[in-house]
Amino acid sequence: MIPALAALGLMLQTGPALAQPALTSSTPAAVAPGKTIDLVLTGQKLDDPLQIWSSFPAKIELVPLAEPKPGQTQRTVKVTLEAGVPVGIGGLMVSTAEGVSDPLLLLVDDLPTVADNGQNQSFAQAQEIPTLAAVDGVSDGSRFDYYKINVQSGQRVAVEVFAGRLGESYDPVLRLLDANGKQLMLADDDPGLGSDCRFAHTFQAPGQYVLEVRDNQYRPGGRYRLRVGDFPLAISTFPLAGKAGTTAKFTFTGPGVDAIPAVDVAVPNGVAG
């Protein structure tokens, strides 16, 4: 998906570099299979007529401007995905008569989105979230973000942060703390993710626990998406590739992938576009 996205970006960038539109972020940072979501795009020169392309199959409707004047920095689009669209990293690009933007990376995510409330910079003020949720957060530099979850005895919870994989300048560090602030888990760079991090933990005792998220370099403004749920943490497939024009069988490696059956994938002869 991503190589094709990059190739399309190179082919379509025909306008002057300084005049073309730009995308810097979206709110929320994900779209959901089987749902229609209002996505607010932030950037520069998002003027009409504006065309939008996505790397994932979707119906995208541009909400008309109340005041169609030059220099628009925000646009709202309604994005509808079919239920069968797989979870993963996708991208959006916009174009005007002035050129085509670079791709904006975002997630196709089946977890409900929760916004960072901006008041959770201490252990005592940790923001309560469900154990099936994703949080769109922003780094406050040297002030960390805290989220509390309630779990049952024997419950497995997987946690991961998307930042570097979405092109964000945010180097996440995750900590799991008990109700007294004692560290139970620490996750930094992951061998399968680069600078992003993740872990899974099975809780022996029920109660309230806290997730601490911070930028390893204490830089403000970086965006991240924290995912909390009960999902496998696959690191890679085996084999790493399939021969074009054949059906290849893939298994997975990583924590909690034992229950995932092997999958047969029809590898195309070529990539459209």
Side-chain angles (χ1 to χ4, degrees):
M1 180 184 294
I2 298 305
L5 186 67
L8 185 62
L10 290 174
M11 289 189 294
L12 292 180
Q13 286 187 20
T14 57
L18 295 178
Q20 68 191 38
L23 291 175
T24 55
S25 65
S26 70
T27 305
V31 291
K35 294 183 179 179
T36 297
I37 290 180
D38 285 346
L39 200 66
V40 179
L41 302 176
T42 300
Q44 299 293 326
K45 300 185 178 180
L46 306 179
D47 304 329
D48 286 329
L50 188 70
Q51 294 184 324
I52 305 169
W53 174 87
S54 68
S55 66
F56 44 85
K59 178 183 178 183
I60 302 178
E61 301 173 85
L62 182 65
V63 176
L65 289 167
E67 294 184 53
K69 56 185 180 180
Q72 296 292 327
T73 58
Q74 280 195 338
R75 298 299 299 268
T76 300
V77 293
K78 291 185 178 295
V79 182
T80 303
L81 273 68
E82 294 184 359
V85 178
V87 171
I89 298 174
L92 289 176
M93 296 166 65
V94 298
S95 66
T96 67
E98 304 296 334
V100 181
S101 72
D102 289 335
L104 173 69
L105 300 180
L106 72 169
L107 279 180
V108 176
D109 198 348
D110 56 359
L111 291 175
T113 297
V114 176
D116 178 352
N117 67 10
Q119 307 297 319
N120 56 353
Q121 282 86 40
S122 71
F123 182 86
Q125 290 184 301
Q127 176 182 350
E128 186 169 352
I129 61 173
T131 53
L132 284 174
V135 183
D136 287 336
V138 179
S139 171
D140 295 296
S142 60
R143 295 185 298 168
F144 307 164
D145 289 341
Y146 294 87
Y147 302 95
K148 57 187 175 183
I149 57 175
N150 291 287
V151 304
Q152 304 299 317
S153 177
Q155 183 175 352
R156 176 188 181 273
V157 175
V159 184
E160 67 175 339
V161 179
F162 275 82
R165 286 172 287 174
L166 298 178
E168 293 290 341
S169 59
Y170 185 91
D171 186 358
V173 177
L174 268 173
R175 288 205 304 157
L176 174 64
L177 312 172
D178 67 13
N180 297 315
K182 179 183 176 182
Q183 177 178 300
L184 303 178
M185 296 284 294
L186 171 68
D188 199 346
D189 297 352
D190 185 275
L193 308 180
S195 62
D196 287 350
C197 55
R198 58 186 174 180
F199 66 80
H201 184 74
T202 300
F203 293 86
Q204 301 303 313
Q208 194 170 84
Y209 295 83
V210 173
L211 297 168
E212 176 193 272
V213 191
R214 65 175 173 89
D215 187 305
N216 196 30
Q217 300 183 44
Y218 308 105
R219 295 167 297 186
R223 295 175 179 270
Y224 65 86
R225 186 168 176 90
L226 171 72
R227 301 182 77 244
V228 182
D230 185 11
F231 42 81
L233 301 179
I235 292 177
S236 66
T237 61
F238 182 83
L240 296 176
K243 184 178 179 181
T246 67
T247 297
K249 185 179 291 292
F250 292 93
T251 58
F252 302 90
T253 63
V257 301
D258 296 342
I260 303 178
V263 295
D264 293 321
V265 178
V267 184
N269 279 309
V271 178

